[in-house]
């Protein structure tokens, strides 16, 4: 018997919002992206091992990593 397991990264676009960019200082729309790493067994995702969020300025493209808590604060 053998097992095929591994990790898979899934990227999901979330609704962004208007914010002041910390790189260019412009008040511009920011894209919010969720990156989730999932444990897979026989290529079937079973559970999420880690999640991270990145916001990216649409004006200059400057990316910032944010925590789940900061992401939740953005959503409300
Ligand atoms: Zn910017």
């Amino acid at each position: 018997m053998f097992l095929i397991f591994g990790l898979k990264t899934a990227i999901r676009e979330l609704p962004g919002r208007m914010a002041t960019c910390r790189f260019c200082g412009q008040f511009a729309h920011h894209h919010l992206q969720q990156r989730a790493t999932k444990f897979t067994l026989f290529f079937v995702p079973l559970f999420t091992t880690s999640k991270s969020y990145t916001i990216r300025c649409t004006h200059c493209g400057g990316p910032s990593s944010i925590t789940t808590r900061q992401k939740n604060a953005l959503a409300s």
Side-chain angles (χ1 to χ4, degrees), residues 6-19:
L7 295 172
K8 180 186 171 197
T9 301
I11 294 174
R12 211 173 102 197
E13 295 293 334
L14 300 174
R17 63 169 289 182
M18 296 294 285

Side-chain angles (χ1 to χ4, degrees), residues 21 23-24 57 59-61:
C21 177
F23 298 102
C24 64
C57 173
H59 186 255
C60 69

Side-chain angles (χ1 to χ4, degrees), residues 18-40:
M18 296 294 285
T20 303
C21 177
R22 63 188 245 196
F23 298 102
C24 64
Q26 292 286 320
F27 187 69
H29 187 77
H30 283 63
H31 287 300
L32 178 60
Q33 195 178 63
Q34 179 194 62
R35 185 179 291 262
T37 304
K38 295 177 183 215
F39 180 84
T40 61

Side-chain angles (χ1 to χ4, degrees), residues 35-70:
R35 185 179 291 262
T37 304
K38 295 177 183 215
F39 180 84
T40 61
L41 187 62
F42 294 108
F43 307 107
V44 177
L46 289 184
F47 55 88
T48 303
T49 56
S50 73
K51 263 187 196 174
S52 66
Y53 297 92
T54 304
I55 55 169
R56 187 179 297 272
C57 173
T58 55
H59 186 255
C60 69
S64 308
S65 292
I66 60 172
T67 63
T68 304
R69 196 171 167 173
Q70 288 172 314

